[in-house]
Amino acid sequence: MTALDQTPELLPLGIDGVLVRFATTLTEDANAHALGFRDLVQDMALVGVTEVASSLVSVRVGFDPAQTDRATVMGALRSLLEQHQTKDEGPRRLWRIPAAFGTDFAPQLGEVAGMAGLTPQQAITEIEATQVRVIAIGFAPGQPYLGMLPDHWNIPRQTELTKKLPRGALITAVRQLIIWAADAPTGWRHIGQTAFRVYRPETTQPFAFEPGDAVQFQAVSDTDFRAIKVNTDTNGGATCEVLR
Amino acid sequence: MPTLTIHKAGPGLTVQDLGRPGWKAQGLSTGGAADPLALLESAAVLGVKPSDAVIEMMGFGGTFSMDEDMRIALTGAVMQADIDGEAVAHNTTHVLPAGAKLIIRAASKGVYGYLRFAGGIATAPIMGSRATHLTAGIGKRLEAGDTLPLGSDPDPSGAPQKLPKTDRFAGGTIRIMPGPQTDFFRKEAQRAFCAAQFRRGQSGNRQGIKLEHKGNIFGTSSGLTHVSDLIVPGDIQITGAGVSYILLAECQTIGGYPRIGNVIPADLPKIAQAPPGTPLQFQFLTLAEADATATAQTDQLHALTKSCQPLIRDPHDIADLLGYQLISGATPGDDLERP
């Protein structure tokens, strides 16, 4: 991993938290640093640290002020940042998730492919060929932001919001994909459909993804997809391979 | 297992506890009671664990009954209440006899009222907590006709207790601490924010409340675009249009609007409990000053428990005074001589 072009900042985020911010704009490098640093801090199990969460470009380390204090946590994080600079072990897990891209399931695929200068088939091929990473989880519980697609996928959000999308919809904007989990409007465009549930509160492992996981989509026919969808035992036919 | 029946329910009744920490990385905020101090208060007065689940009532109460005698306490927003016509005092233990009707009316002060049963609500925990998290699809609003399982009262004959009144329902000056984006705002904007007279706006829920004010817009330096970043309860977000929102327990975990600062946990209950129109002003603490206000929940609970007082009831308030045995220990005088 390359050194960052800006020094990470250690900033307060709440009375019980320190934010380590690797950049103020989204870059793949800053995101990789955030994901790697979250792993590192988590593995260190520092005294009094209660929670380690990463977002696109930063990591929040939550602590219990009764067990430690800000100065101690910041000191520990500074020395971890020195160790962290050269570390890149890649994703811990690889998910393979079937997705349908046919007319019934991908209402805006043609429009998006056009904006990216591709045919719909080329767009599907590129999605299948790109191993994306879970760069952040949020907005709705378990909902992954997956990136990054090639540069020509740098498509802005649409100005009109789509009011409702089916759960598992594959949507895109700004070189990213999302497997939709929320019951909320969005400006991202609907280009495919999975039967994958990112969040299952009723189970012992409610969240499918960890930040940093790799995801590869596998195109299936609409007919095959309908069959996958009715078989609720398999979580959309997805598989998860542990890489390290 | 004792069962609670809900006969009438206001629109904002949910089961809550101290929340579900540890899932921010997966996009789930901690949630839990909007005013966690009220949970510590009721735990202190009843002498039970603060982690037991309670009923949170936003603005309006409901009608409840039990199939077993159970001690209860009402804390948080002040809501007029009675048990079969007998007034229930705020921050005070009462016995809800089996079959009696507990009626809790609308809040006269504050927003979130809490009804704690000494036995605790015994619904199945999800991810280690019973807290309803509506935006995450965990649990649901309680409705008329619902029943809930409770634990048994661990000390049914516990001496009645009360806590001295605390008022956190009138807004006032709220202390805030700097956050990761405070410097995105120019010094003048930060000063203007602290000089502004805000009012709690009409819109608000467990995710956050809107602030209203006349005059200045507290924008960030022009042309700056920010990547979405982690947010926490207490954060004050300012939208592009200059409208301020304060995030509460059930906020999202990542947000895109710049945040000028964070309301310290000690003052956040004042925000949650401020009804629309309540005046609010903000004062920046230094980081060191803010950190010095951190108090462990166990210490808070300990202090509250120490301030509990045995309840001495005024005879005028006792409707069935003659039903009580008012003199005890009176004897014929020859007890010791009897065999």
Side-chain angles (χ1 to χ4, degrees), chain B residues 252-265:
Chain B
Q252 289 171 346
T253 54
I254 294 180
Y257 292 125
R259 291 158 285 147
I260 198 163
N262 176 269
V263 175
I264 63 168

Side-chain angles (χ1 to χ4, degrees), chain A residues 1-11 18-24 29-30 33-34 37 57-59 74 77-86:
Chain A
M1 182 175 292
T2 54
L4 271 177
D5 50 2
Q6 77 191 87
T7 316
E9 296 173 279
L10 271 66
L11 301 152
V18 176
L19 188 78
V20 182
R21 187 166 67 197
F22 291 90
T24 47
D29 196 35
H33 272 83
F37 192 64
V57 293
S58 61
V59 176
M74 285 176 65
L77 293 177
R78 279 200 188 91
S79 57
L80 285 180
L81 278 169
E82 284 168 22
Q83 289 178 36
H84 159 73
Q85 285 298 327
T86 53

Side-chain angles (χ1 to χ4, degrees), chain A residues 12 21 51 55 58 70 142 210, chain B residues 22 24 26 136 138 180 229 291:
Chain A
R21 187 166 67 197
E51 187 171 30
S55 73
S58 61
R70 186 178 301 280
E210 279 286 317
Chain B
K24 272 194 196 71
Q26 279 81 12
I138 301 174
D229 208 340
D291 282 347

Side-chain angles (χ1 to χ4, degrees), chain B residues 195-215:
Chain B
Q197 305 283 335
F198 289 94
R199 284 184 183 281
R200 149 85 209 257
Q202 283 297 323
S203 52
N205 56 28
R206 291 176 39 76
Q207 290 180 272
I209 58 139
K210 185 178 178 179
L211 296 174
E212 284 169 358
H213 76 291
K214 293 197 181 84

Side-chain angles (χ1 to χ4, degrees), chain A residues 11-15 19 21 24 38 51-53 55-58 60 65-66 70 137 139 141-142 199 201 206-207 209-211, chain B residues 22-27 126-127 136 138 177-180 184 227-230 232 235 252 254 259 265 287 290-291 293-294 296:
Chain A
L11 301 152
L13 180 47
I15 210 170
L19 188 78
R21 187 166 67 197
T24 47
R38 173 177 180 255
E51 187 171 30
V52 190
S55 73
L56 297 162
V57 293
S58 61
R60 181 179 184 271
R70 186 178 301 280
I137 299 178
F139 189 70
Y199 170 54
F207 301 98
F209 295 124
E210 279 286 317
Chain B
W23 302 101
K24 272 194 196 71
Q26 279 81 12
I126 292 175
M127 289 177 252
I138 301 174
M177 65 180 284
F184 293 2
V227 56
S228 291
D229 208 340
L230 292 159
V232 292
D235 275 359
Q252 289 171 346
I254 294 180
R259 291 158 285 147
L287 182 55
D291 282 347
T293 67

Side-chain angles (χ1 to χ4, degrees), chain A residues 223-238:
Chain A
T223 316
D224 287 352
F225 179 71
R226 286 193 187 91
I228 288 169
K229 212 176 156 189
V230 292
N231 184 357
T232 52
D233 295 345
T234 64
N235 201 6

Side-chain angles (χ1 to χ4, degrees), chain A:
Chain A
M1 182 175 292
T2 54
L4 271 177
D5 50 2
Q6 77 191 87
T7 316
E9 296 173 279
L10 271 66
L11 301 152
L13 180 47
I15 210 170
D16 57 353
V18 176
L19 188 78
V20 182
R21 187 166 67 197
F22 291 90
T24 47
T25 52
L26 175 58
T27 64
E28 286 184 89
D29 196 35
N31 181 245
H33 272 83
L35 297 176
F37 192 64
R38 173 177 180 255
D39 278 358
L40 180 63
V41 178
Q42 192 121 292
D43 291 348
M44 292 309 289
L46 300 168
V47 174
V49 166
T50 51
E51 187 171 30
V52 190
S54 59
S55 73
L56 297 162
V57 293
S58 61
V59 176
R60 181 179 184 271
V61 180
F63 60 90
D64 177 359
Q67 290 183 59
T68 184
D69 58 41
R70 186 178 301 280
T72 309
V73 172
M74 285 176 65
L77 293 177
R78 279 200 188 91
S79 57
L80 285 180
L81 278 169
E82 284 168 22
Q83 289 178 36
H84 159 73
Q85 285 298 327
T86 53
K87 205 171 166 180
D88 179 18
E89 293 178 356
R92 291 191 177 194
R93 303 190 298 181
L94 170 61
W95 291 88
R96 292 188 178 85
I97 302 173
F101 295 95
T103 39
D104 291 356
F105 297 109
Q108 291 172 297
L109 178 65
E111 182 189 348
V112 164
M115 293 171 89
L118 304 168
T119 64
Q121 189 49 53
Q122 285 171 330
I124 295 167
T125 306
E126 284 198 4
I127 290 171
E128 277 197 290
T130 312
Q131 205 181 84
V132 285
R133 299 278 296 272
V134 177
I135 61 176
I137 299 178
F139 189 70
Q143 182 170 290
Y145 289 74
L146 304 165
M148 307 288 282
L149 293 170
D151 268 335
H152 50 270
W153 286 82
N154 197 0
I155 295 159
R157 293 169 185 80
Q158 58 190 7
T159 43
E160 291 295 309
L161 293 179
T162 304
K163 286 220 173 60
K164 202 169 165 62
L165 286 168
R167 187 168 64 191
L170 193 62
I171 61 176
T172 189
V174 289
R175 295 182 59 200
Q176 294 164 54
L177 295 164
I178 289 177
I179 301 172
W180 193 242
D183 184 17
T186 180
W188 292 41
R189 289 181 175 85
H190 186 187
I191 59 160
Q193 183 68 41
T194 75
F196 189 69
R197 285 178 66 196
V198 297
Y199 170 54
R200 297 187 289 175
E202 72 282 4
T203 66
T204 51
Q205 291 194 311
F207 301 98
F209 295 124
E210 279 286 317
D213 282 356
V215 177
Q216 198 146 19
F217 292 99
Q218 295 172 322
V220 293
S221 71
D222 289 5
T223 316
D224 287 352
F225 179 71
R226 286 193 187 91
I228 288 169
K229 212 176 156 189
V230 292
N231 184 357
T232 52
D233 295 345
T234 64
N235 201 6
T239 62
C240 179
E241 183 186 342
V242 177
L243 302 177
R244 65 177 169 93

